[in-house]
Amino acid sequence: MKIEPGRQSAQDYASGGGNGYAATGVREPALPRAATPADEEMPFETMLAMIWRNLCRSKTAVFGFIIVTAIVFVALTADIIAPYSYENPAGGSLLPPSLKFPFGTDPLGRDILTRVIYGTRVALYVGLGSITLAVLLGIPLGVCSGYYGGWVDLVVMRVMDLILAFPIFLLAIVIMIILGPSTANVVLALAIVRIPIFARVIRGSVLTVKELDFVSGARSVSATDFRLLFLHILPNCLAPIIVTATVSTAFAILVEANLSFLGLGTQPPTPSWGFDLKQNMTSLSERPFIVIAPGLAIMFTVLGFNLFGDGLRDALDPRTRS
Amino acid sequence: MRAYVIRRLLLLIPTLLGITMVVFLAIQSIPGDPIEAYLGQFYEEELAASLRKQYGLDKPIYVQYVLWLGRLARGDWGKEVLSGLPVLDQIRERLPVSLELIFGAMIVALLVAIPAGITSAVRPYTASDYTATTGAMVGISVPEFFGGILLVLLFSLGLGILPVQGFKPWSQGAGDHLAHMVLPVLTLGLTRGALLTRMVRGCMLEVVGQDYVKTARAKGASEFLVISKHALKNAMIPVITVLGLQVGFLVGGSIVVETIFSVPGLGQYGINAISSRDYPAVMGFILVSSLTFVMANLMVDLAYAFLDPRIRYED
């Protein structure tokens, strides 16, 4: 049926796309119709602003964000703000805190504050590096598993189950034994143990999203699998990935500290909070304060990412949106 | 229920095969040829070949795996490189210490998490709730080794009421043994308790808002009865699942805690074996630690089916 603009009759409405309101001459209520397209066409910037507004509503999330920003700032400017060299002794061994050495010196005479400042680099390198790697490897696995199903799903998910059959920390230790201790290998080991988490999260989201109407719509205009996956499905699975990634960063930093504490992670003289704590612990009874600075550094960094992740979860969760 | 238990037990077989396969491949992929390491830099090729044949190293890798599984099943877990003692005996001696630590920590975690989580959830967004949630958040962010050191600073070096580190077996007196175990158990338990507290709070909040809890209140049941009898049971179901997952972290955490406090458990054994490159011992450590995790998960799954009558697992 060919309809000329402006000449639609009541009969056309009744027989075709009418919704009952038009036929009876009553104006369609504005709200339900206006809400849907506005939601879908919301510009990216507006969405970001909304997430940001939600995030700012929680004091703890803001606190977390400030910590994370501060850590990143310290890591970037370590060469400028650190008072001494992290490798060479700056004074006598095991000096008490003073104006010159705010946290004292370690058993090798190095300034503890300087070591803590440079420690942010290893923490961020491991935290962000391993999670980026895990996301980059986990997304294709999870997407293929969820989208194609069948034997692809079966094989991928059984391998992921096998990885998850080990306690995470133990598996990280096993990988470090094979690869040998170094910071780069910690990044790799933590990425491997974290891949199943991302693959599962993404698979779950893809399973939900791929049944939605807009995907069938895209498929009906013969979009390729690649286009469907990366332009239509993946952007709709981003929220859980971002939240999982933030919380996983906290976890990765914690595990690096633990591995280095056991001597399986970052090797000296590179400053790592975990290793420094282990080394300073030998002088615990003479100078109890020397373990406090690296310990607090780990605690606040992990706390920052955890709080930020918690806040993001609330901000991105549609149920808590206003 | 019985069918579920049987199916769950059958599921153990592929899991165990998978774990042994990963451990076998891991040990295989450690750089270095054991025969070359044994013979030194200069050796005759014929001698090396005959040794390879003797130990079955000339066979394809899957045959080696099956042979190795057979040896494991017969209790031949190899000998420590340095001492020559059988690995399985060493592990048998140390496993109870680790299990005591893990079990104790689990109880501490529950003793902290259940009251704290409930108080939090029953009066949400009050001072007591904020205290509990802040404490839990900080607790999650403290690594075990730092928490342990802080406890040592407070109780051992500060107050002087508990030993700094070391271990006394039960045979040397229960009091002495327990005094040495208090700090390791607390260290491990409090960190895990922090995470569980959040979990208990979340589950409790969800359950308290449900209709059947309102009904119980409307019938005039006391608040204590409503919470402890009606709400807690349902709230505990997801908590138990999380507890099962926590066992993995307890096994991992026990490695660190045993190192800090010089507790002669499986974890300390493993770390020593790793630093002295004693691979038969390393293998035993990895295998038994993973088995502990798998068995704990099995128990949690069975407890889960037992606790929640809605779950009948009859698909």
Side-chain angles (χ1 to χ4, degrees):
Chain A
M1 182 170 24
K2 206 172 172 185
I3 302 167
E4 282 172 47
R7 286 199 55 195
Q8 287 174 324
S9 64
Q11 203 195 342
D12 288 332
Y13 275 112
S15 62
N19 54 13
Y21 287 108
T24 50
V26 181
R27 250 184 77 96
E28 207 177 343
L31 194 68
R33 211 184 140 196
T36 336
D39 214 33
E40 277 165 13
E41 287 160 23
M42 183 190 283
F44 189 59
E45 289 80 27
T46 321
M47 216 170 79
L48 278 185
M50 193 182 69
I51 292 169
W52 178 248
R53 218 175 35 245
N54 276 336
L55 195 65
C56 288
R57 212 178 290 147
S58 151
K59 273 181 209 138
T60 50
V62 173
F63 183 56
F65 181 73
I66 292 172
I67 296 179
V68 171
T69 319
I71 302 281
V72 172
F73 177 78
V74 170
L76 289 177
T77 57
D79 290 326
I80 305 163
I81 58 173
Y84 303 97
S85 142
Y86 66 80
E87 271 178 298
N88 305 316
S93 146
L94 290 175
L95 292 175
S98 62
L99 277 179
K100 230 176 128 196
F101 306 107
F103 293 115
T105 58
D106 71 2
L108 299 172
R110 298 171 300 195
D111 177 38
I112 290 178
L113 177 66
T114 305
R115 303 270 310 166
V116 168
I117 288 174
Y118 275 100
T120 52
R121 289 192 169 175
V122 167
L124 285 183
Y125 170 47
V126 170
L128 301 178
S130 66
I131 299 310
T132 310
L133 203 58
V135 169
L136 287 180
L137 295 170
I139 284 183
L141 285 173
V143 164
C144 292
S145 203
Y147 186 73
Y148 293 109
W151 67 268
V152 179
D153 188 28
L154 198 74
V155 171
V156 171
M157 282 301 126
R158 284 303 80 77
V159 173
M160 298 296 119
D161 282 349
L162 186 57
I163 298 181
L164 289 173
F166 286 89
I168 287 181
F169 187 55
L170 187 73
L171 189 61
I173 290 180
V174 172
I175 300 172
M176 291 313 291
I177 298 172
I178 300 170
L179 297 177
S182 83
T183 315
N185 289 343
V186 174
V187 172
L188 196 58
L190 289 178
I192 295 172
V193 301
R194 228 40 187 171
I195 288 173
I197 313 273
F198 287 101
R200 279 193 166 187
V201 167
I202 294 157
R203 175 179 175 270
S205 308
V206 169
L207 281 179
T208 321
V209 173
K210 81 168 179 183
E211 301 301 334
L212 296 180
D213 284 344
F214 78 93
V215 177
S216 329
R219 196 178 286 130
S220 67
V221 294
S222 57
T224 59
D225 275 3
F226 186 83
R227 197 182 157 80
L228 259 177
L229 282 173
F230 288 92
L231 277 162
H232 296 283
I233 295 185
L234 205 55
N236 283 286
C237 308
L238 274 183
I241 299 174
I242 293 172
V243 172
T244 314
T246 317
V247 179
S248 295
T249 306
F251 177 79
I253 293 172
L254 205 53
V255 176
E256 189 276 331
N258 271 302
L259 285 173
S260 299
F261 181 82
L262 293 175
L264 294 168
T266 306
Q267 296 299 301
T270 311
S272 157
W273 297 327
F275 187 87
D276 279 21
L277 231 155
K278 162 107 176 166
Q279 166 203 288
N280 296 0
M281 209 177 83
T282 49
S283 317
L284 190 67
S285 45
E286 309 142 60
R287 294 259 182 262
F289 60 84
I290 63 173
V291 295
I292 301 296
L296 286 181
I298 302 169
M299 198 191 97
F300 273 107
T301 311
V302 176
L303 186 68
F305 277 101
N306 271 334
L307 290 176
F308 186 48
D310 261 21
L312 273 181
R313 173 175 302 143
D314 294 340
L316 289 171
D317 187 349
R319 279 174 301 180
T320 57
R321 269 186 209 163
S322 56
Chain B
M1 184 74 196
R2 207 161 97 209
Y4 171 70
V5 172
I6 292 171
R7 200 162 65 234
R8 191 64 187 74
L9 286 174
L10 284 178
L11 205 65
L12 260 187
I13 299 170
T15 314
L16 292 181
L17 280 178
I19 284 182
T20 49
M21 220 178 277
V22 170
V23 173
F24 179 74
L25 289 177
I27 298 293
Q28 290 287 313
S29 56
I30 290 169
D33 177 6
I35 298 295
E36 272 179 44
Y38 175 70
L39 292 172
Q41 210 177 344
F42 304 103
Y43 57 88
E44 284 176 38
E45 200 45 58
E46 275 166 32
L47 180 62
S50 76
L51 277 173
R52 280 205 178 88
K53 203 173 168 84
Q54 189 185 333
Y55 289 104
L57 294 172
D58 56 340
K59 295 196 174 67
I61 191 141
Y62 54 89
V63 178
Q64 286 190 43
Y65 169 68
V66 174
L67 289 174
W68 177 75
L69 267 191
R71 284 201 298 275
L72 281 187
R74 284 196 303 272
D76 174 13
W77 287 40
K79 292 185 169 66
E80 285 180 13
V81 173
L82 287 178
S83 63
L85 295 168
V87 169
L88 194 58
D89 291 355
Q90 292 293 310
I91 287 177
R92 219 175 265 155
E93 211 167 279
R94 287 153 183 274
L95 185 61
V97 179
S98 288
L99 289 182
E100 186 189 337
L101 176 62
I102 291 171
F103 193 66
M106 210 186 230
I107 291 174
V108 168
L110 285 173
L111 283 180
V112 171
I114 293 178
I118 291 178
T119 328
S120 232
V122 172
R123 292 192 178 75
Y125 311 109
T126 59
S128 60
D129 179 29
Y130 286 127
T131 316
T133 43
T134 311
M137 198 67 208
V138 172
I140 295 174
S141 308
V142 176
E144 275 101 353
F145 56 86
F146 187 49
I149 289 170
L150 290 180
L151 288 176
V152 166
L153 283 176
L154 177 64
F155 288 107
S156 311
L157 299 175
L159 300 171
I161 47 175
L162 288 169
V164 175
Q165 56 171 38
F167 178 79
K168 289 280 181 324
W170 283 100
S171 54
Q172 291 187 25
D176 221 13
H177 171 79
L178 292 177
H180 281 86
M181 287 303 270
V182 169
L183 285 184
V185 166
L186 272 185
T187 305
L188 197 54
L190 288 179
T191 15
R192 293 300 117 209
L195 208 132
L196 272 184
T197 304
R198 280 163 64 92
M199 196 66 207
V200 173
R201 178 181 182 272
C203 297
M204 216 40 195
L205 269 179
E206 219 160 88
V207 171
V208 164
Q210 278 177 17
D211 285 343
Y212 83 96
V213 173
K214 283 184 198 145
T215 311
R217 282 207 180 109
K219 284 196 309 190
S222 72
E223 187 64 23
F224 178 78
L225 203 69
V226 170
I227 297 298
S228 65
K229 196 147 175 254
H230 296 265
L232 188 60
K233 247 187 201 163
N234 272 335
M236 280 315 277
I237 292 163
V239 172
I240 285 180
T241 319
V242 176
L243 191 68
L245 293 173
Q246 290 295 302
V247 174
F249 290 98
L250 283 170
V251 171
S254 70
I255 301 171
V256 177
V257 170
E258 285 170 15
T259 311
I260 311 170
F261 292 102
S262 310
V263 177
L266 193 59
Q268 195 205 34
Y269 180 71
I271 293 302
N272 288 342
I274 291 168
S275 60
S276 58
R277 298 178 179 277
D278 195 335
Y279 291 123
V282 172
M283 185 214 73
F285 153 69
I286 301 170
L287 214 49
V288 174
S289 301
S290 329
L291 286 182
T292 313
F293 180 55
V294 170
M295 294 321 265
N297 269 334
L298 173 72
M299 281 192 273
V300 166
D301 275 5
L302 295 182
Y304 200 73
F306 183 73
L307 272 177
D308 191 348
R310 283 172 302 185
I311 301 166
R312 278 283 162 238
Y313 300 101
E314 278 163 12
D315 49 300

